Amino acid sequence: YTSTTPTPVSTVSQYACQRRTTTQNNNKIFTDAFEVLAESHEFNDMEGPCLAFRRAASVLKSLPWTVQNLRVTEDLPCLGEHSMCVIEEILQHGRSFEVEKILSDERYQILKLFTSVFGVGPKTAEKWYRRGLRSFSDVLAEPSIHLNRMQQSGFLHYGDISRAVSKAEAQALGNIIDEAVHAITPDAILTLTGGFRRGKDFGHDVDFIVTTPQLGKEERLLTSVIDRLKHQGILLYCEYQASTFDESKLPSHRFEAMDHFAKCFLILRLEDSQVDGGLQTAEEDRRGWRAVRVDLVSPPVDRYAFTLLGWSGSRFERDLRRFARMERRMLLDNHALYDKTKKEFLAATTEKDIFAHLGLEYIEPWQRNA
Ligand code: ATP
Ligand code: MN
Ligand code: MN
C-alpha cells in the first residue's frame, strides 16, 4: 500500500460493532451518495440493495482516511460491484450521475417529502403518490384520506420538527425531563441515549431512558411523567405504548425489531428562555418557543443495559445483533441476551458486561456512529 492508506484495509471488519466510528466522516461525498441510493431502493421496496448500500456507507464512515483511489476499496468489506461503480464515478467526475438522476426524479422527491412527515412511512407515502397526490396541500385537501393522530400532529408541527434539534436544545429538554422524573421518584434513573449520546451535534429527536431501582415501578413512573408534562402545559402530542414485555420470551430473531417496554413518542413545547444560547429562527423570535420530538422508554432496571445499548442506535446496534447471531450463536435485542449453545440467558448490569459476553472489545458510545 501507498502512504495514502494509513490503516491496513484488511483489518476492517464487516461488522460495525468491531469498528470505531466517530462523528467525523472522512468520506461524506461517498456516503451521502450511498444514502440516496439506499433510500431510493427502500422506496421501491428492494430491501436487499437498500441494506447493501447502508452497509457500504457504514464501512466508509469508519475509515480514518478519505478514499482516493478505487484500488484501496477492493479489500474493504461490504462494497459490492454497484457501490464500487458509484465510488469510481465520484472519483472521476466529483459526482455520481446515477445519484443525480434519482435526486431529480419526481417520485423520489415526493416520497422523500411525504416521509419527512412524523407518522408517515414509505408505505403511506407510496399510497398517497399512487393516488396522484404530489404535495402537502394535495394530501390535506383530499377528503378520502384519513390522517391518524400522529400524522395530524406531524403536519401541525411540520416546520418545527423537521428542523434539527441542537445539543443545547437536547440539554434543555434533559433538564425538563430530569425535573419531572425526580419530582415523582427521587431515586429514578434518567439517561440521555440515541444520537446525542453518540456525541452528535444535531438530531431529529431527543431520546431518554427512565427507570427506577425498584423493579416493577418503572411503568407507573413513565405514565406519571407524561401526566406531569401535560399539567405543565408542554405536552403537544403523546403516543403512549404500554409494556408488552414477557421475560420468558427469547430475544427476537429479527435484526431491526422494536422493543416491548413501556415507551412514549412525544412532541414537547420548549421555551426559548430554557435554552442556552437562545433562538434559531426569526419566526421563533416572535413566538418564543419551538416544538421538539422526544422519545422516552422505560425498561425494568435489570434490563437497563440492554435497552441503553439498543437505543444508542445506529448501524452499530443492528450489527451487534447480527454479530451475536452469526458469530456467537447468541440472540441479542433491547431486552436480553440468550446463548443458544448453553440454552441460557446472560445477565448484564452495564454495556461492558454485554460486550464481554459477546467476546467483543468495548466500544464507547461516541465511537458507535456507524
Ligand atoms: P437521530 O439523531 O436522527 O434521532 P438516532 O440514532 O437517535 O438519530 P432514533 O430514530 O431516535 O435515531 O433511534 C434511536 C434508537 O432508538 C434506535 O436505534 C432504536 O433502537 C430505538 N428506537 C427508536 N424508535 C423505536 C421504537 N418505536 N421502538 C423501539 N425502539 C426504538
Ligand atoms: Mn434520536
Ligand atoms: Mn427516537
Side-chain angles (χ1 to χ4, degrees), residues 83-102:
S83 300
M84 296 282 219
C85 285
V86 176
I87 293 176
E88 189 172 20
E89 242 190 326
I90 296 174
L91 285 172
Q92 267 182 26
H93 307 284
R95 57 212 185 114
S96 158
F97 301 104
E98 188 183 359
V99 169
E100 286 185 351
K101 207 174 133 218
I102 294 167

Side-chain angles (χ1 to χ4, degrees), residues 1 5 9 67-76 84 91:
Y1 293 103
T5 60
V9 285
V67 170
Q68 272 159 357
N69 57 67
L70 206 56
R71 167 78 186 78
V72 300
T73 62
E74 276 164 25
D75 300 323
L76 291 171
M84 296 282 219
L91 285 172

Side-chain angles (χ1 to χ4, degrees), residues 94-285:
R95 57 212 185 114
S96 158
F97 301 104
E98 188 183 359
V99 169
E100 286 185 351
K101 207 174 133 218
I102 294 167
L103 289 174
S104 63
D105 177 63
E106 195 209 17
R107 191 180 117 92
Y108 173 84
Q109 289 173 358
I110 305 293
L111 294 184
K112 180 98 183 141
L113 176 74
F114 288 169
T115 54
S116 74
V117 179
F118 177 50
V120 180
K123 294 256 150 62
T124 304
E126 162 72 24
K127 199 175 71 190
W128 291 351
Y129 184 83
R130 257 190 287 117
R131 287 210 205 166
L133 308 174
R134 296 291 180 267
S135 67
F136 288 166
S137 40
D138 285 355
V139 173
L140 296 171
E142 174 59 49
S144 67
I145 283 189
H146 174 77
L147 299 176
N148 63 33
R149 268 184 66 239
M150 196 181 253
Q151 294 160 347
Q152 283 171 28
S153 64
F155 277 112
L156 187 61
H157 301 291
Y158 183 79
D160 276 6
I161 61 182
S162 60
R163 209 176 67 248
V165 183
S166 71
K167 222 182 239 183
E169 288 166 335
Q171 173 72 51
L173 281 158
N175 295 340
I176 292 167
I177 306 292
D178 186 275
E179 192 274 331
V181 165
H182 289 108
I184 294 155
T185 308
D187 60 353
I189 300 157
L190 172 71
T191 314
L192 177 69
T193 180
F196 286 109
R197 181 167 186 253
R198 302 197 308 271
K200 278 174 57 175
D201 290 325
F202 292 95
H204 94 281
D205 67 356
V206 193
D207 307 283
F208 296 97
I209 304 180
V210 292
T211 190
T212 66
Q214 302 93 347
L215 210 54
K217 293 273 170 69
E218 65 281 346
E219 190 158 5
R220 184 84 191 86
L221 171 61
L222 187 59
T223 53
S224 302
V225 169
I226 294 168
D227 283 343
R228 195 179 166 88
L229 298 172
K230 193 185 283 168
H231 282 121
Q232 289 175 339
I234 61 172
L235 194 67
L236 300 174
Y237 172 83
C238 173
E239 158 140 349
Y240 172 72
Q241 293 181 356
S243 173
T244 55
F245 176 55
D246 175 352
E247 63 177 20
S248 66
K249 281 225 176 83
L250 293 189
S252 167
H253 276 258
R254 295 201 48 235
F255 291 143
E256 318 208 347
M258 287 308 171
D259 63 58
H260 297 282
F261 299 129
K263 63 175 85 61
C264 58
F265 309 105
L266 310 176
I267 299 176
L268 296 186
R269 176 185 161 118
L270 180 63
E271 302 295 326
D272 291 326
S273 59
Q274 293 173 301
V275 182
D276 263 2
L279 312 174
Q280 288 193 353
T281 69
E283 190 198 336
E284 273 170 65
D285 243 327

